[in-house]
Amino acid sequence: AQSVTQLDSQVPVFEEAPVELRCNYSSSVSVYLFWYVQYPNQGLQLLLKYLSGSTLVKGINGFEAEFNKSQTSFHLRKPSVHISDTAEYFCAVSFSGGYNKLIFGAGTRLAVHP
Amino acid sequence: EAGVAQSPRYKIIEKRQSVAFWCNPISGHATLYWYQQILGQGPKLLIQFQNNGVVDDSQLPKDRFSAERLKGVDSTLKIQPAKLEDSAVYLCASSRDVDGYTFGSGTRLTVV
């Protein structure tokens, strides 16, 4: 069965420190990978996506992610976080041949402290 | 390009009542999705339409939830009767292909 796992439910970090949010997926077919951010009481905003090509993907707000096919991972990173990065982050996967169905992980709460 | 429109923005109902949500996707997007997001969880796909037809409703509680997409454009999601555990944000999204999914702002449902 196809699934998405976000390994950390919460990640506390100090301002200006680096951060990594982890995402693993399970699939026997090709995948397309996404990271979304959700601020309190707001909708989902696309941070970045991997469809094909370079495995290092850069997104908005200084975030980047790397697709690792052998480890079936798509971890999100930022070298220096700000207070304003405090939000819920969702990894999502679409599987080839699945009518573009988008499956989400449970989310990781990033809390940036001063 | 206009976004995905949803209404109402908020809804409070008593358990056993019925409720309906409306979604207008981006023009030209053949695929429409309804997700349920319970507080503290990731969005869960309830139903996916490809034009008029349903391609996935495996996680839709069909004894109480129903959805339709008229003429391959607008869609409504209905709950009848509602239960306390249906309290959640209901998100509508649309896509033309795998390249881009656009989400609406959602409808926050509270069942009391």
Side-chain angles (χ1 to χ4, degrees), chain A residues 34 36 99-100 102, chain B residues 1-6 23-35 45 47-51 69 72-75 91-105:
Chain A
F34 305 80
Y36 286 87
Y99 285 105
N100 301 334
L102 192 62
Chain B
E1 175 179 77
V4 175
Q6 289 189 249
C23 172
N24 181 236
I26 291 177
S27 177
H29 281 195
T31 310
L32 185 146
Y33 314 78
W34 282 103
Y35 287 85
L45 180 67
I47 189 167
Q48 178 180 348
F49 292 94
Q50 186 79 12
N51 297 308
R69 188 178 185 193
V73 184
D74 292 9
S75 177
L91 295 165
C92 180
S94 69
S95 70
R96 184 174 55 240
D97 52 37
V98 72
D99 189 31
Y101 302 83
T102 303
F103 284 83
S105 298

Side-chain angles (χ1 to χ4, degrees), chain B residues 76-89:
Chain B
T76 55
L77 177 69
K78 297 179 182 178
I79 308 175
Q80 182 179 13
K83 293 184 176 181
L84 296 177
E85 59 260 36
D86 298 332
S87 294
V89 175

Side-chain angles (χ1 to χ4, degrees), chain A residues 14-69:
Chain A
F14 286 108
E15 195 173 19
E16 298 183 5
V19 71
E20 179 180 81
L21 306 184
R22 298 180 292 169
C23 174
N24 285 86
Y25 66 91
S26 173
S27 175
S28 57
V29 299
S30 297
V31 296
Y32 309 103
L33 299 153
F34 305 80
W35 275 99
Y36 286 87
V37 60
Q38 188 174 40
Y39 300 101
N41 297 314
Q42 294 190 27
L44 292 164
Q45 180 182 6
L46 180 67
L47 276 178
L48 48 79
K49 59 186 175 185
Y50 170 79
L51 302 179
S52 64
S54 172
T55 57
L56 183 62
V57 179
K58 294 189 182 298
I60 63 172
N61 301 342
F63 284 93
E64 64 179 32
E66 186 160 18
F67 171 51
N68 188 318
K69 188 175 181 180

Side-chain angles (χ1 to χ4, degrees), chain B residues 5 11 25 27-28 39 44 47 57 61 63 65 73 79 82 85 88 90:
Chain B
K11 190 74 176 178
S27 177
L39 186 63
K44 181 181 81 171
I47 189 167
D57 63 357
D63 59 333
F65 286 65
V73 184
I79 308 175
E85 59 260 36
Y90 291 84

